[in-house]
Amino acid sequence: MSDPALGLLMLTLIVVVIMMGFPTAFTLMGLGMMFGFAAFYDPTQSWTDNRIFDLMVQRAFGAMNNESLISIPLFVLMGYVMERGALVDKMFFSIQLAFRNFPASLAVATLIVCTFWGIASGLVGAVVVLMGVIALNPMLKAGYDVKLATGVITAGGTLGILIPPSVMIIVYAAVAGQSVVKLYAAAMFPGFFLAFLYLVYVIGWALINPKIAPKSNATIPVPDWVPKLQAAYSRNMPLALLRALVQPGKAAAIDKDGKPFGYGGVVRSAVIASFPLLLSAVMLGGIWWYVVIHPQDDAIAGAPVALGTGGTAKSAVAGPEKLEPLGAAPSAEEDKPEELGAGGNAAEAPNTGAPEVLQEMSSLDAVRPAQGASAASGPDPAFFNWFWGIVAVTALVMAWYYRKMGAEQFALLGLLVPSVMPLGLLTLVVLAVILFGITTATESAAIGAAGAFILGFAAKTLDWTRIKQSVFLTAKTTA
């Protein structure tokens, strides 16, 4: 049998054996060894001399030496810890309420949670199973079409293999010998753009045929103390919280879950209310730093060092010349007569005695100012027009949002901040340390796993039993 025929037969048997229920890891390993043995079989040699045994040892040793593959179980552990910590349930509930006025709000919330969860776990199966448990039953009870409900979950689950940190990208980088960071950077925009296209498709389908996704009747649960705070200070929640910070006497008389609201409750509520403003300021400040300040720091750090005669490095800023005392004899260099046939003074002669490295440095320093001229001159003036225009629009949107913030908007913000912000911040940190070259994929995976444990303990939903389940599922998935 020819080699192409052996390959096709092996692929067919892989599908058949997996469909029969055999574990994927043992199926791939067993069939690979069997067909490799058949491909390298030589009748003139003993069966123990088959090359497949040497290749098996070499590949196992190579996989153990690959540091990038260590990140796979860490990313998977990060996802399972968040799943067992019940962090996704709160996120789905709060995002569903945030998009309650959108067509197919449950489907939209499912896609958004799938995107976040795909980033956290990096696996397809884990996302599909978890969202099937959390979102499928609510969508079917709300009267959603079965095709839409199942299609949203399966399509959103596939985002986990594209949006970093993806396990499939790590495996591909290890097999193809490519950089994980470069593959992550290349997959970032297509992954989020695909999620956006999914949202556009679902919303457009619901607008064309509203029967497939009935409008949600969900209401935002408003805590009892919020109307009391409004009655004591103002109907506008930001204004009421500002007045409560200055005059906390009335707020101390308000009960919250059977306890006095207190000044600490006012401060926590003010921080939650100011979160959109703080987030906008951090994002705009990060853009300003990356485009304006960061290139200037690089230009200053790469400033050229002037080379003096004789190949010795001197500072670009000339200091005061050293004066010789009166009556001192001229130096030996100045008193030395020129040799016959010398073409001019020695300073104009080429510095052939300088070391080669210093000569190369002098040539590079001559070119470096031209290369760093653009960085030192700053970004294009059009950037400043766009940036300050975006700042102005953001300021107007924030002013309108805070002017309209009432009890329901504040209650919704109080649900979104503790449920979405921790996972979003952890995801941002994990991706940022990889893309900016601060850490490798393995180190960032360790940061993500440690952050998942911290979030689970902070939410008081993670115990010893769930930790053991997370570790067992991680070992089973990555075996």
Side-chain angles (χ1 to χ4, degrees), residues 128-159:
V128 172
V129 171
L130 179 64
M131 294 309 301
V133 173
I134 296 176
L136 182 59
N137 196 28
M139 283 193 285
L140 295 179
K141 284 185 177 180
Y144 278 55
D145 185 75
V146 178
K147 296 179 181 179
L148 175 63
T150 55
V152 163
I153 294 174
T154 53
T158 59
L159 296 172

Side-chain angles (χ1 to χ4, degrees), residues 236-384:
N236 182 265
M237 282 301 299
L239 184 59
L241 290 172
L242 288 176
R243 291 180 178 179
L245 288 172
V246 179
Q247 301 173 350
K250 297 179 181 179
I254 299 175
D255 291 335
K256 179 182 179 181
D257 298 330
K259 299 178 182 179
F261 188 55
Y263 195 76
V266 176
V267 173
R268 287 191 295 270
S269 301
V271 171
I272 292 175
S274 61
F275 184 79
L277 182 61
L278 295 176
L279 182 62
S280 302
V282 169
M283 292 179 64
L284 293 174
I287 294 173
W288 179 267
W289 174 84
Y290 186 76
V291 177
V292 178
I293 300 177
H294 180 61
Q296 294 180 357
D297 293 339
D298 289 345
I300 294 174
V305 178
L307 293 178
T309 59
T312 57
K314 295 183 179 180
S315 173
V317 180
E321 296 182 359
K322 184 178 180 180
L323 301 178
E324 295 181 356
L326 292 175
S331 62
E333 293 182 358
E334 295 176 353
D335 192 48
K336 182 179 179 181
E338 295 184 4
E339 297 180 0
L340 292 177
N345 61 40
E348 297 177 357
N351 186 16
T352 56
E356 183 180 356
V357 175
L358 292 179
Q359 292 181 8
E360 293 179 358
M361 288 174 59
S362 63
S363 61
L364 289 176
D365 288 336
V367 178
R368 191 179 299 168
Q371 294 177 344
S374 60
S377 61
D380 193 334
F383 164 78
F384 295 99

Side-chain angles (χ1 to χ4, degrees), residues 25-103:
F26 294 104
T27 300
L28 296 176
M29 181 177 63
L31 290 177
M33 291 186 62
M34 290 172 55
F35 280 86
F37 184 87
F40 291 116
Y41 179 72
D42 188 357
T44 62
Q45 296 179 351
S46 174
W47 67 271
T48 56
D49 295 333
N50 196 295
R51 289 180 58 192
I52 188 62
F53 300 110
D54 296 334
L55 291 176
M56 180 182 67
V57 176
Q58 292 174 6
R59 293 307 302 157
F61 185 75
M64 288 188 292
N65 279 341
N66 195 331
E67 296 181 357
S68 298
L69 296 179
I70 304 176
S71 61
I72 295 178
L74 292 174
F75 278 128
V76 175
L77 178 63
M78 171 184 170
Y80 278 124
V81 168
M82 289 186 177
E83 175 196 350
R84 296 296 162 174
L87 301 177
V88 185
D89 300 355
K90 300 177 182 179
M91 178 187 294
F92 179 74
F93 177 70
S94 59
I95 292 178
Q96 169 197 347
L97 293 178
F99 290 91
R100 67 192 184 280
N101 295 325
F102 278 65

